[in-house]
Amino acid sequence: MYQPIPVHIVMIEDDEGHARLIEKNVRRAGVQNPIVAFANGSSALEFLFDEARARSKERQGYLILLDLNLPDMSGVEILKRIKEDDDLKKAPVVVLTTTDDKVEIQRCYELGCNIYITKPVSYENFARAILQLGLFLSVVQIPEIL
């Protein structure tokens, strides 16, 4: 019988207000998975490549929420590194960013992003978009990362 694997949501978002809004509305959608939050790319990559590997004896999956505009490195570079890794490339990456440049969107999809969402400017629309994302996350199946 199939048993779902535990899925950790890795949120890479430097704007503290956006991070709180994302977590609040994902929870409002009924998603209770652990959320591991990072305000910069370096610490997120360290977690994904080091700590996640250290716990790899456990069956688990990751879903990554990625902002492109980070203080220490580009979210595009993070996406590229994740998708170049034999294990992590299976993890779905949802880009959540203010960037709506068509070239940037195309580049992210070419690098392997699974969903690209431009953050709405207004608080209400942003909250509604994240709630809808949370509803989607509550039903999506995530592959196991070994």
Side-chain angles (χ1 to χ4, degrees), residues 15-66:
D15 184 308
E16 192 176 315
H18 285 184
R20 280 195 307 270
L21 183 66
I22 291 166
E23 183 165 1
K24 174 184 170 186
N25 283 288
V26 165
R27 297 286 184 231
R28 279 183 53 206
V31 175
Q32 296 303 313
N33 302 60
I35 297 176
V36 186
F38 298 96
N40 64 64
S42 301
S43 58
L45 285 175
E46 183 178 322
F47 170 80
L48 287 167
F49 283 94
D50 296 338
E51 293 182 37
R53 293 270 192 317
R55 292 184 291 161
S56 66
K57 294 167 187 66
E58 305 170 27
R59 295 176 60 233
Q60 61 187 345
Y62 294 99
L63 183 135
I64 300 162
L65 302 177
L66 175 63

Side-chain angles (χ1 to χ4, degrees), residues 56-114:
S56 66
K57 294 167 187 66
E58 305 170 27
R59 295 176 60 233
Q60 61 187 345
Y62 294 99
L63 183 135
I64 300 162
L65 302 177
L66 175 63
D67 184 14
L68 294 183
N69 305 309
L70 298 166
D72 62 336
M73 64 191 313
S74 163
V76 171
E77 179 60 27
I78 295 168
L79 174 63
K80 185 174 186 257
R81 296 211 19 217
I82 289 168
K83 293 304 182 177
E84 287 175 343
D85 184 81
D86 286 339
D87 292 327
L88 288 174
K89 70 181 178 186
K90 298 179 231 170
V93 176
V94 177
V95 171
L96 269 171
T97 190
T98 55
T99 307
D100 64 356
D101 178 65
K102 300 289 183 214
V103 173
E104 194 80 352
I105 294 168
Q106 182 67 33
R107 185 166 183 224
C108 286
Y109 277 112
E110 287 171 357
L111 288 173
C113 112
N114 300 89

